[in-house]
């Protein structure tokens, strides 16, 4: 398109020197006949529909008109194309694991081994059914989550401004578009504000999801704005011209998407799975070649039947070794995690965020609405000599935005409608004796709202402004007494809001006064912050308020008072290292605008921390995307919810902490499965590779299939096992995982070799009994190890759930009965072993698990002491952090002393959520 590409750090609302500048290409201007191609969008609306667009602004459609147009044009949504259920079910028979099983199925059929054929076919179908059913359940949960996140729009109907579901908007509806809104349908701008006043600036719309242009497009009255685009600046009424499938892009139904993109755990598990498959196939091929060489030496020839038989045995051995249940365990565990989080009012939009949430070590939390109640009430205002309380309430109302639920605007509107005699409390948002001529809404960059007002009796016009105290005081050329009052309010934990008006025309500004508002901390915030410390999470406050207010609130909540002014994050006189240190050791940030949030996330990630960032506004979206886990708090704009990984349905910090606890439980289950699966596979391959090469001994294929079938089926229940919640952030320690798995596998192999040689050479059991003995041992001993892999400490410190215990023991009871009675037909290599041998083997397997548990704890202890050295040197706490009594500094020191932080976060592991909102 010829537009300059923005970097993530840049604020797209600051690309113009003033509000009147257009977004223009940096290349040469396009020729007139290329204009449509440059824009990429045509504005053609059928002329026969024009009568439907003649709706009166600030009144809207009547109920009868709405019903008629809903019947005529349909709902404002797209019908999702349903996939073929049969083809979807067959898709579960694809992948490396399934292909190996199908190959085994074909080979067993060719050799006429119908028992193994039936078992393998059953395994294929059972795995596909479990995967299909669990994915269907997950999709059902996702559908309900999408419904709970349905977009809403402000709409004039029957003379009242109400909120309606975006899917219920019809052609001709008058909608109010404001900063942060995702446009619900194609609409024509009317050039008037929410209550019918003139607008002072054009609306700016991010159309990158349609055109790929980085800069927002400025839209003038009469222009068409398109469904799925995001309002970046301004406010206007618009009349809906196209809905549902008739819109230019019609993406309303997919804006709130739940993505299942690759997360860290999936990458780790895929790597482990592929590694195990490659090792399995490699060792089995060596065994296969050894078998053929032995056959050639013994008989002098190799027949086709002998090749097929040996190949069939090797494929069955491979199937028994590889992690057949890997995809299903992953699906079940993640689905259950998302459901558990939903019970805590934490909606997961990207399922793999369930696991990443467990690794969060620093939570950057908004102050307003998360740490505080976000229910502002007025305290005594500061007034200049000419004005009283009614005056400041009246003027602040005249410059209030009626189409927003912002707590400050809501508090002003509510107080004025309830207490001021001139403000009409009938839903019309009008003031007796005054008319709003034009209005410029508040935006987070300018931090000011302005309006031009006409006094009806005299027809005199004046301007009113309301906004951040420093901006208003700058407008009136300063006021020493007011500045002192701002400081006084801040020391009491009060927020200030300046109000001014012009006198003698439209240019001479005069201060009316300062509104003081109090936003008390939530009752549960202090206790929740203390709990965060217990779980190894450092909470940093993010606020747009002055530093003195931030320190006051931090003190009330028991947080540290080392609050960093956001300007320090971009201080050119300081080095990157100094800024980074200041960011790490601060307890919070004051005077923050959304662009600073992105900078905070970037600096902390570069230091190796996993970051969760909360946000609610349209300009928070880049920081939410940049963070490891982006959290849209309750009441967020549509744009913030679309960019976030997790959406909160209730306010406060407690929902976030509940979510982290559940995520750590899920992480523990996933890690437990990974350790168990690697250990059992390496043990299996090591024992059979050595015993085949040295003793030329083979286990009957039916036993190999049974080991895989029973043990993989039992691991599915890990998704509901009890686990102890980690007191520190969970991190994947892959080197330790591999080393520990190898140590445990070698120890298990030692017990397996002992069984083999004792029963064969000491007890002199016949070959059939030896096969059954080794089957029962290899089925039970590694399987009982699952009780140990559940935790990093001794197994009894985290008692497994009753259901988990019953299922695991139940599979081995089945294996015991099959072994005792030899229920495998007339195979000469399989014999019953009787109850004495069976019970002794199970008892030894339980004892083996206890010994393995001790080896596990010793290995982890040695690793933590000698091998797991942090790659980052812990820096000395800066002097400013000591002076300000930084709790963040003390917290980080404690974590390093306990070696709880594992650095080396790889930015490449960060996902990019699939979403129709691609502007960030």
């Amino acid at each position: 398109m010829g537009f300059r590409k923005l970097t993530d750090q840049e604020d797209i609302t600051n690309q113009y020197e003033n509000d009147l500048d257009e977004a223009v290409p940096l290349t040469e201007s396009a020729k007139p006949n290329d204009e449509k191609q440059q824009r990429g969008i045509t504005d053609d609306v059928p002329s026969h529909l024009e009568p439907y667009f003649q709706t009166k602004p600030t009144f809207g459609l009547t109920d009868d008109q709405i019903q008629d147009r809903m019947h005529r044009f349909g709902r404002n949504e797209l019908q999702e194309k349903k996939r073929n259920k049969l083809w979807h079910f067959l898709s579960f028979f694809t992948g490396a694991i399934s292909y190996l099983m199908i190959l085994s199925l074909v080979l067993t059929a060719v050799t006429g081994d119908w028992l193994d054929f039936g078992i393998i076919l059953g395994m294929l179908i059972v795995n596909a059914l479990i995967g299909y059913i669990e994915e269907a359940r997950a999709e059902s949960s996702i559908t309900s989550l999408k419904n709970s996140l349905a977009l809403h729009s402000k709409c004039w109907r029957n003379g009242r401004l109400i909120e309606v579901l975006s899917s219920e908007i019809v052609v001709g509806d008058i909608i109010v578009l404001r900063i942060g809104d995702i446009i619900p349908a194609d609409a024509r701008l009317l050039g008037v504000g929410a209550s019918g006043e003139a607008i002072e600036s054009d609306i700016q719309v991010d159309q990158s999801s349609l055109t790929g242009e980085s800069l927002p497009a400025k839209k003038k009255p009469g222009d068409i704005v398109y469904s799925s685009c995001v309002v970046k600046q301004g406010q206007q009424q618009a009349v809906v011209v196209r809905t549902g499938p008739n819109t230019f892009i019609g993406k309303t139904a997919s804006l709130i998407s739940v993505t299942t993109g690759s997360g860290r755990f999936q990458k780790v598990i895929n790597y482990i799975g592929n590694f195990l498959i490659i090792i399995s196939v490699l060792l089995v091929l060596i065994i296969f070649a050894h078998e053929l060489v032995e056959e050639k030496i013994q008989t002098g020839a190799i027949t086709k039947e002998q090749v097929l038989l040996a190949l069939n045995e090797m494929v069955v051995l491979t199937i028994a070794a590889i992690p057949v249940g890997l995809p299903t365990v992953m699906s079940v565990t993640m689905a259950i995690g998302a459901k558990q989080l939903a019970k805590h009012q934490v909606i997961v939009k990207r399922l793999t965020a369930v696991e990443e949430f467990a690794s969060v070590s620093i939570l950057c939390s908004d102050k307003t609405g998360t740490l505080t109640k976000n229910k502002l009430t007025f305290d005594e205002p500061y007034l200049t000599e000419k004005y009283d309380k009614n005056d400041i309430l009246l003027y602040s109302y005249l410059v209030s935005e009626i189409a927003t639920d912002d707590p400050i605007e809501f508090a002003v509107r509510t107080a004025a409608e309830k207490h001021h005699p001139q403000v009409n409390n009938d839903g019309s948002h009008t003031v007796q004796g005054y008319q709003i001529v034009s209005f410029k809404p508040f935006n987070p960059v300018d931090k000011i709202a302005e309006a031009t007002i006409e006094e009806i009796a005299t027809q005199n016009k004046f301007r009113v402004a309301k906004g951040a105290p420093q901006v208003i005081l700058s407008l009136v050329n300063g006021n020493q007494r007011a500045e002192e009052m701002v400081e006084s309010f801040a020391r009491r934990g009060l927020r200030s809001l300046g109000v001014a008006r012009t006198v003698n025309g439209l240019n001479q500004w005069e201060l009316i006064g300062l509104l003081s508002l109090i936003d008390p901390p939530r009752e549960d915030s202090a206790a929740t912050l203390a709990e965060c410390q217990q779980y190894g999470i450092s909470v940093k406050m993010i606020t747009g308020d002055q530093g003195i207010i931030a320190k006051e609130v931090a003190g009330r909540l028991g947080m540290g008072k080392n609050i960093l002014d956001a300007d320090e994050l971009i201080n050119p006189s300081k080095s990157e290292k100094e800024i980074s240190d200041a960011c790490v050791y601060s307890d919070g940030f004051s005077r923050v605008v959304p662009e600073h949030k992105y900078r905070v996330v970037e600096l902390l990630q570069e230091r190796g921390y996993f970051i969760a960032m909360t946000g609610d506004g349209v300009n928070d979206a880049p920081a939410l995307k940049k963070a490891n886990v982006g959290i849209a708090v309750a009441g967020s704009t549509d744009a913030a919810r679309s960019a976030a990984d997790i959406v909160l349905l209730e306010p406060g910090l407690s929902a976030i902490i509940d979510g982290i606890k559940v995520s750590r439980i899920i992480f523990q289950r996933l890690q437990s499965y990974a350790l168990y699966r690697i250990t059992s596979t390496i043990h299996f391959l090591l024992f059979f590779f050595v015993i085949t090469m040295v003793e030329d001994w083979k286990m009957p294929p039916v036993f190999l299939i049974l080991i895989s079938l029973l043990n993989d089926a039992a691991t599915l229940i890990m998704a509901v096992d009890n686990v102890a919640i980690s007191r520190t952030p969970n991190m994947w320690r892959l080197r330790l995982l591999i080393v520990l798995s190898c140590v445990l596998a070698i120890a298990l192999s030692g017990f397996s070799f002992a069984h083999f040689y004792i029963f064969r050479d000491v007890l002199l059991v016949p070959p059939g009994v030896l096969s059954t003995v080794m089957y029962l041992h290899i089925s039970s001993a590694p399987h009982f190890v699952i009780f140990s892999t559940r935790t990093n400490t001794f197994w009894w410190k985290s008692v497994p759930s009753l259901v988990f215990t019953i299922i695991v023991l139940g599979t081995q009871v089945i294996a015991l009965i099959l072994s005792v009675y030899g229920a495998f037909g007339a195979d000469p290599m399989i014999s019953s072993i009787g109850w004495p041998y069976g019970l002794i083997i199970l008892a030894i397997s339980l004892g083996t698990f206890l010994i393995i548990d001790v080896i596990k704890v010793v290995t982890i202890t040695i690793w933590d002491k000698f091998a797991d050295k942090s790659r980052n040197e812990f820096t000395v706490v800066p002097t400013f952090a000591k002076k300000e009594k930084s709790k963040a500094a003390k917290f980080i020191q404690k974590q390093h002393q306990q070696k709880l932080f594992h650095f080396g976060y790889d930015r490449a592991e960060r996902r990019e959520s699939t979403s129709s909102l691609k502007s960030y």
Side-chain angles (χ1 to χ4, degrees):
M1 299 297 296
F3 282 83
R4 179 173 62 88
K5 277 288 185 181
L6 291 177
T7 62
D8 287 338
Q9 294 93 331
E10 291 181 287
D11 174 24
I12 58 178
T13 62
N14 274 333
Q15 301 307 313
Y16 318 106
E17 293 182 0
N18 58 64
D19 286 340
L20 301 178
D21 290 339
E22 292 284 358
V24 295
L26 296 180
T27 54
E28 294 184 6
S29 301
K31 295 179 180 179
N33 59 356
D34 292 332
E35 182 176 75
K36 284 190 177 181
Q37 183 178 359
Q38 181 186 8
R39 286 174 172 246
I41 297 176
T42 56
D43 294 347
D44 297 331
V45 177
S47 58
H48 70 276
L49 294 178
E50 285 294 336
Y52 290 100
F53 309 151
Q54 308 308 311
T55 311
K56 182 180 178 182
T58 70
F59 185 85
L61 299 175
T62 64
D63 291 337
D64 291 339
Q65 289 175 312
I66 294 168
Q67 291 181 5
D68 174 67
R69 298 183 187 200
M70 182 70 76
H71 177 74
R72 184 182 298 270
F73 297 104
R75 293 177 64 83
N76 183 36
E77 59 188 10
L78 294 177
Q79 294 297 323
E80 295 185 14
K81 184 179 179 181
K82 295 183 177 179
R83 60 188 173 195
N84 185 288
K85 292 184 178 180
L86 176 60
W87 286 113
H88 181 51
F89 175 71
L90 293 176
S91 69
F92 288 90
F93 293 92
T94 60
I97 294 174
S98 295
Y99 293 150
L100 280 174
M101 295 178 71
I102 293 171
L103 176 62
S104 175
L105 196 68
V106 172
L107 292 174
T108 51
V110 171
T111 57
D113 189 353
W114 300 112
L115 177 60
D116 290 343
F117 177 87
I119 293 175
I120 296 173
L121 180 61
M123 289 175 64
L124 263 173
I125 294 174
V126 167
N127 271 293
L129 279 173
I130 292 175
Y132 180 81
I133 293 170
E134 286 302 326
E135 185 168 307
R137 288 179 180 174
E139 287 181 351
S140 176
S141 299
I142 289 169
T143 301
S144 64
L145 300 186
K146 289 173 72 175
N147 292 335
S148 70
L149 296 175
L151 303 183
H152 292 77
S153 299
K154 293 283 187 179
C155 184
W156 281 100
R157 287 183 175 178
N158 298 302
R160 296 180 65 86
L161 184 63
I162 62 173
E163 189 172 73
V164 300
L165 286 172
S166 296
S167 59
E168 296 177 357
I169 285 175
V170 298
V171 171
D173 256 328
I174 300 296
I175 59 176
V176 176
L177 302 175
R178 62 178 305 277
I179 184 171
D181 286 349
I182 293 179
I183 300 170
D186 292 358
R188 180 183 293 161
L189 295 175
L190 297 177
V192 294
S195 56
E197 74 280 2
I199 57 171
E200 296 191 1
S201 61
D202 290 329
I203 204 167
Q204 291 188 22
V205 179
D206 178 2
Q207 297 184 152
S208 60
S209 59
L210 305 183
T211 65
E213 297 174 2
S214 299
L215 296 176
K218 184 166 285 189
K219 295 289 186 176
K220 302 181 182 298
D223 286 350
I224 302 293
V225 291
Y226 298 96
S227 171
S228 84
C229 296
V230 183
V231 180
K232 302 297 291 185
Q233 191 167 316
Q235 178 207 61
Q236 271 195 54
Q237 291 188 41
V239 60
V240 174
V241 298
R242 290 186 289 252
T243 60
N246 298 316
T247 59
F248 183 82
I249 194 169
K251 285 190 174 180
T252 301
S254 63
L255 285 172
I256 300 299
S257 61
V258 180
T259 64
T260 55
S262 181
R264 286 183 314 158
F265 175 74
Q266 283 180 312
K267 291 178 179 179
V268 169
I269 286 299
N270 288 340
Y271 174 81
I272 292 171
N274 292 335
F275 169 76
L276 294 179
I277 289 174
I278 292 171
I279 294 298
S280 300
V281 172
L282 180 62
L283 294 182
V284 166
L285 285 176
I286 294 174
I287 296 174
F288 175 67
H290 175 265
E291 288 288 306
L292 295 182
V293 170
E294 285 289 316
E295 187 68 27
K296 175 71 173 178
I297 293 173
Q298 292 177 6
T299 64
I302 303 175
T303 64
K304 178 181 177 181
E305 290 74 15
Q306 290 170 335
V307 172
L308 287 176
L309 181 60
L311 185 61
N312 180 53
E313 292 174 350
M314 295 307 105
V315 172
V316 173
L317 179 63
T318 306
I319 294 297
I322 61 176
V324 174
L326 184 70
T328 305
V329 171
M330 175 70 190
S331 173
V332 173
T333 305
M334 287 296 183
I336 289 177
K339 292 175 186 176
Q340 290 175 340
L341 286 170
K343 292 178 182 178
H344 295 277
Q345 302 299 300
V346 178
I347 305 303
V348 178
K349 289 178 60 231
R350 180 174 57 88
L351 292 180
T352 53
V354 172
E355 174 264 337
E356 292 180 13
F357 210 13
S359 299
V360 168
S361 53
I362 295 179
L363 170 62
C364 297
S365 172
D366 283 327
K367 175 180 73 68
T368 304
T370 304
L371 298 175
T372 62
K373 291 183 177 180
N374 201 18
K375 294 181 179 178
L376 296 171
T377 55
F378 288 108
D379 202 72
E380 283 295 313
Y382 163 74
L383 300 164
T384 54
E385 294 180 358
K386 292 173 55 177
Y387 301 97
D388 59 19
K389 291 182 181 179
N390 273 345
D391 291 331
I392 195 169
L393 195 57
L394 172 65
Y395 290 121
S396 61
Y397 184 84
L398 287 171
V399 72
S400 292
E401 186 177 354
I402 67 171
T404 178
D405 293 325
D406 178 83
I408 294 179
E409 300 287 61
F410 182 79
V412 170
R413 293 199 310 262
T414 302
E417 290 169 357
K418 186 177 294 186
H419 299 295
H420 200 287
Q422 288 180 262
V423 177
N424 297 320
N425 192 15
D426 57 2
S428 63
H429 302 288
T430 56
V431 181
Q432 298 172 25
Y434 295 93
Q435 181 178 351
I436 301 173
V437 178
S438 63
F439 178 67
K440 179 181 178 182
F442 179 91
N443 71 72
V445 177
D446 300 331
K447 294 190 175 183
I448 189 173
E450 298 179 63
T452 301
I453 310 297
E454 180 180 15
E455 192 173 1
I456 296 175
T458 63
Q459 294 188 337
N460 290 331
K461 293 182 180 179
F462 60 91
R463 291 180 63 76
V464 183
K466 179 183 66 183
Q470 66 270 23
V471 178
I472 297 298
L473 292 178
S474 173
L475 201 63
V476 301
N477 297 318
N479 185 306
Q480 183 63 34
R481 176 60 180 156
E483 291 176 4
E484 292 173 358
M485 289 305 301
V486 171
E487 291 289 324
S488 176
F489 287 150
R491 283 192 293 271
R492 294 163 51 201
L494 301 176
R495 299 179 66 180
S496 303
L497 193 67
V499 183
R501 60 157 292 175
T502 59
V503 293
N504 302 324
L506 300 177
N507 298 314
Q508 184 179 342
W509 288 94
E510 181 177 85
L511 181 66
I512 297 172
L514 299 169
L515 289 170
S516 62
L517 306 100
I518 185 169
D519 182 14
R522 299 178 61 84
E523 290 83 357
D524 62 344
S525 289
T528 307
L529 286 168
E531 191 175 17
C532 287
Q533 293 282 334
Q534 295 174 7
Y535 284 96
I537 302 170
S538 176
V539 180
K540 296 183 184 295
M541 177 193 298
I542 306 286
T543 179
D545 290 336
Q546 298 293 325
I548 192 168
I549 296 179
K551 290 182 179 181
E552 175 67 23
V553 174
R556 294 186 185 186
L557 295 175
M559 300 177 69
K561 293 187 177 182
N562 179 28
I563 305 298
L564 186 70
D565 190 287
D567 288 342
E568 294 297 316
L569 296 172
I570 51 175
N571 189 340
S573 66
K574 291 188 176 181
S575 67
E576 191 76 5
K577 178 67 166 57
E578 290 176 317
I579 295 175
S580 178
D581 283 344
C583 185
V584 169
Y585 297 116
S586 67
D587 296 305
F589 307 90
S590 62
R591 300 204 306 130
V592 169
V593 296
E595 300 75 46
H596 293 138
K597 287 187 174 184
Y598 186 97
R599 179 68 168 152
V600 168
V601 173
E602 184 177 49
L603 289 170
L604 293 175
Q605 282 183 341
E606 287 174 356
R607 295 293 287 265
Y609 295 99
F610 252 66
I611 309 302
M613 171 66 77
T614 66
D616 59 1
V618 60
N619 285 353
D620 289 333
L624 295 178
K625 295 281 283 183
K626 174 77 171 176
N628 302 99
V629 180
I631 303 171
V633 299
S636 297
T637 61
D638 296 335
R641 293 194 302 176
S642 293
D645 303 306
I646 288 174
V647 178
L648 304 183
L649 298 185
E650 66 178 25
L653 195 64
S654 58
I656 298 175
I657 302 307
D658 288 342
I660 288 178
K661 289 180 183 178
V662 172
S663 295
R664 289 189 183 180
I665 290 173
I666 300 304
F667 186 99
Q668 291 287 90
R669 291 171 180 164
L670 299 176
Q671 186 172 253
S672 174
Y673 175 74
L675 178 57
Y676 162 75
R677 187 68 261 188
I678 299 172
T679 299
S680 59
T681 300
I682 294 176
H683 159 256
F684 190 90
L685 290 172
L686 181 61
F687 173 75
F688 281 103
F689 179 77
V690 173
I691 209 72
T692 301
M693 299 295 288
V694 175
E695 299 291 346
D696 197 25
W697 181 84
K698 295 187 291 292
M699 180 177 281
V702 66
F703 280 148
L704 299 176
I705 297 298
L706 276 174
I707 290 171
S708 178
L709 182 64
L710 290 177
N711 292 8
D712 271 327
T715 56
L716 294 177
I717 206 66
M718 291 178 71
V720 294
D721 180 30
N722 291 337
V723 293
I725 301 175
S726 171
R727 290 284 177 173
T728 58
N730 295 118
M731 302 296 289
W732 284 103
R733 304 168 71 184
L734 284 180
R735 289 182 298 169
L736 173 60
L737 182 66
I738 297 299
V739 170
L740 182 58
S741 299
C742 291
V743 170
L744 299 184
I746 291 171
L748 276 173
S749 299
F751 285 104
S752 298
F753 289 124
H755 272 71
F756 180 85
Y757 288 111
I758 289 174
F759 275 92
R760 190 191 70 170
D761 299 337
V762 178
L763 299 179
L764 302 175
V765 297
V769 173
L770 180 62
S771 296
T772 308
V773 165
M774 293 310 300
Y775 157 70
L776 184 57
H777 163 74
I778 291 175
S779 176
S780 60
H783 200 54
F784 288 154
V785 170
I786 202 171
F787 288 118
S788 176
T789 61
R790 297 171 55 257
T791 175
N792 288 337
T793 183
F794 293 107
W795 72 274
W796 64 79
K797 293 186 178 181
S798 176
V799 180
S801 68
L802 181 61
V803 174
F804 179 81
T805 303
I806 290 174
I807 295 295
V808 171
L809 295 179
T811 58
Q812 300 315 307
V813 169
I814 295 173
L816 173 64
I817 293 172
L818 293 176
S819 301
V820 167
Y821 294 105
F824 300 103
D827 191 326
M829 290 301 298
I830 300 175
S831 301
S832 60
I833 61 175
W835 285 104
Y837 274 171
L839 293 175
I840 290 172
I841 292 170
L842 282 188
I844 294 174
S845 294
L846 285 171
T848 302
F849 139 66
L850 296 175
I851 297 172
I852 291 293
D853 193 57
V854 174
I855 295 174
K856 174 200 70 179
V857 174
V858 171
T859 303
I860 293 175
T861 302
I862 294 174
W863 181 274
D864 287 340
K865 188 173 183 179
F866 297 106
D868 195 19
K869 301 294 184 182
S870 175
R871 285 178 288 178
N872 286 12
E873 291 292 331
F874 178 56
T875 55
V876 177
V877 178
T879 305
F880 72 85
K882 294 178 180 178
K883 290 180 179 179
E884 294 289 346
K885 298 180 181 179
S886 168
K887 283 197 172 182
K890 294 179 181 178
F891 176 81
I892 292 171
Q893 281 182 312
K894 180 181 177 182
Q895 300 300 313
H896 277 272
Q897 288 167 2
Q898 297 175 356
K899 297 183 180 179
L900 296 181
F901 278 169
H902 302 282
F903 290 90
Y905 168 67
D906 182 4
R907 178 65 190 162
E909 291 182 355
R910 178 71 171 96
R911 96 287 176 266
E912 292 298 336
S913 296
T914 303
S915 169
S916 62
L917 189 68
K918 296 178 181 176
S919 58
Y920 306 107

